Amino acid sequence: MKLFYQYIISILFLFIYSSPSMSIELFNTTLLSHMTFDQAYSDITGFAQDGREFAVLGLQGNDLAVFVDITNPINPFEVGRIIGPPNLWRDLKYWNRHVYIGSEADLGIRVISVDDPDNPVVVNTINDVSNSHNIHVDKEGYLYIVGASTHDLWIYSLANPASPSLVGTWDTEYLHDIEVYNNKLYGAGIYTGTFYIIDVSDKSNPVTLKSYNTGGGYISTHDTAVTFDEHYLITADENTGGHIKIWDISNYNNINMVSEYMTHPDHSIHNVYVRPGTNLAIMSYYVDGTRILDI
């Protein structure tokens, strides 16, 4: 499951380019503060360490990422940046005093030590992949890379967080976004409208448990999120009219769509998350903002 503080950070920085006088208060969601940066950004993660909390944003210009102290969410402040080649796409994750940054630029996976969070520093680069679209770190300390060349999935052990070691790969289809929960990887095949459920309990030998086509190649299945009981999988389709669909996956041999949620027939959803231990789906849209859905 993706960590809850990432949801709070996403809400906190949702209106990062808003007017200082802007006031947002909807459904128990309140804008506490905002910051502006000198370049656009993509993706966000966060971490708590040594009694402090931090947001890390991927930047699209000549800086790879910016680190922001949000311990006091009313008064966030920048603590450091990592330089990197310009690119529209970044993806960032945290594990054990390190932040991992992937990009569709040819930069590999940068390994950033935040042992001193006020002075983030590059300590290594995974060069097995040149570029990537999405990375994920599970609760056991394994890094998953998708959207890269050579293999559709790369798996690294973070037993030594500064020096990740390759332990396994998987090759069937390009995966755009993934989530790993209970040693199962839920992956979105964006180009075919297919979602995958992959057993990754043996990291050296991932095994596909199920692939399911959600309705044809015209459906751009961009992202997936699984409920805490793993009875339901939510897919987010990134295309005109793209929206979320909720699938009953309790029986892999009898998967059925049980509901849909759409904001507008011409709009598209981007990502969806399930808040751990709840029935709340947190969704981001290109033009409809962030929405929280009771599922």
Side-chain angles (χ1 to χ4, degrees), residues 68-123:
V68 180
D69 186 314
I70 60 166
T71 307
N72 178 0
I74 298 176
N75 184 35
F77 59 92
E78 181 177 330
V79 295
R81 295 195 183 197
I82 300 293
I83 62 171
N87 193 262
L88 294 178
W89 286 275
R90 315 290 197 197
D91 206 63
L92 314 95
K93 296 295 183 291
Y94 171 87
W95 178 260
N96 192 13
R97 310 183 80 85
H98 290 76
V99 171
Y100 304 86
I101 305 176
S103 173
E104 290 193 352
D106 291 333
L107 90 114
I109 306 295
R110 290 284 197 266
V111 182
I112 315 299
S113 171
V114 289
D115 192 56
D116 176 3
D118 294 305
N119 184 36
V121 58
V122 178
V123 293

Side-chain angles (χ1 to χ4, degrees), residues 25-44:
E25 189 166 352
L26 296 171
F27 301 110
N28 302 318
T29 304
T30 303
L31 177 65
L32 298 179
S33 59
H34 74 280
M35 295 179 67
T36 57
F37 297 95
D38 54 359
Q39 53 195 285
Y41 67 95
S42 63
D43 204 60
I44 188 168

Side-chain angles (χ1 to χ4, degrees), residues 1 181 227-228 274-280:
M1 279 291 181
Y181 178 62
T227 58
F228 232 50
V274 175
R275 177 179 173 181
T278 75
N279 291 316
L280 299 178

Side-chain angles (χ1 to χ4, degrees), residues 227-263:
T227 58
F228 232 50
D229 58 9
E230 296 183 276
H231 287 176
Y232 298 95
L233 186 71
I234 305 173
T235 57
D237 296 334
E238 185 185 40
N239 51 276
T240 301
H243 57 286
I244 69 162
K245 302 182 180 82
I246 302 180
W247 305 84
D248 183 344
I249 60 168
S250 56
N251 180 352
Y252 291 171
N253 295 319
N254 187 30
I255 292 176
N256 296 285
M257 185 174 69
V258 295
S259 61
E260 301 176 82
Y261 177 83
M262 178 183 287
T263 56

Side-chain angles (χ1 to χ4, degrees), residues 89-160:
W89 286 275
R90 315 290 197 197
D91 206 63
L92 314 95
K93 296 295 183 291
Y94 171 87
W95 178 260
N96 192 13
R97 310 183 80 85
H98 290 76
V99 171
Y100 304 86
I101 305 176
S103 173
E104 290 193 352
D106 291 333
L107 90 114
I109 306 295
R110 290 284 197 266
V111 182
I112 315 299
S113 171
V114 289
D115 192 56
D116 176 3
D118 294 305
N119 184 36
V121 58
V122 178
V123 293
N124 203 350
T125 301
I126 299 175
N127 287 312
D128 298 327
V129 300
S130 58
N131 62 328
S132 62
H133 182 77
N134 186 249
I135 62 176
H136 179 88
V137 175
D138 69 14
K139 67 178 183 179
E140 296 181 349
Y142 287 90
L143 171 70
Y144 302 79
I145 303 170
V146 294
S149 58
T150 308
H151 296 293
D152 294 322
L153 171 67
W154 302 72
I155 305 175
Y156 288 81
S157 169
L158 301 180
N160 179 350

